[in-house]
Amino acid sequence: NLIVSLIENNQLTFYNIYEKFDKLNIYNSNWENEMSKKLSNIDIGIKSLMKEIGTMSDNIINAIDDLSYATKQSNNQ
């Protein structure tokens, strides 16, 4: 139907069918698919890195709080 509508210059039908195929990623090249996978992997890696940075930040804050408490206790004595 896509080819027939193209040959018969039925642009409305052609573009309707074309858009449906495009939503299914039929026209993506292998390179586009590979790049999409790599970008997804990078996104996952960045999210993991951000989580680790958040955990490290919490650990640093807790350590500073502990040091502040120890210093305060030392000054009180």
Side-chain angles (χ1 to χ4, degrees):
N1 284 336
L2 181 71
I3 295 170
V4 170
S5 61
L6 179 64
I7 292 170
E8 293 178 355
N9 202 23
N10 185 349
Q11 292 181 355
L12 182 63
T13 303
F14 173 80
Y15 284 111
N16 281 334
I17 296 170
Y18 181 89
E19 290 295 322
K20 292 190 187 312
F21 279 128
D22 192 35
K23 287 180 183 177
L24 295 171
N25 296 322
I26 297 296
Y27 303 116
N28 283 2
S29 67
N30 186 49
W31 181 83
E32 288 173 313
N33 292 335
E34 290 297 319
M35 290 305 294
S36 179
K37 287 179 190 175
K38 288 178 182 179
L39 290 172
S40 293
N41 290 340
I42 290 171
D43 182 49
I44 291 168
I46 289 173
K47 287 179 182 176
S48 176
L49 178 62
M50 294 299 292
K51 184 178 178 182
E52 289 296 322
I53 290 171
T55 301
M56 186 173 45
S57 174
D58 291 341
N59 290 340
I60 291 170
I61 290 169
N62 290 335
I64 290 172
D65 286 343
D66 290 344
L67 288 173
S68 296
Y69 178 76
T71 303
K72 187 177 181 180
Q73 291 299 322
S74 177
N75 287 338
N76 288 340
Q77 291 177 356

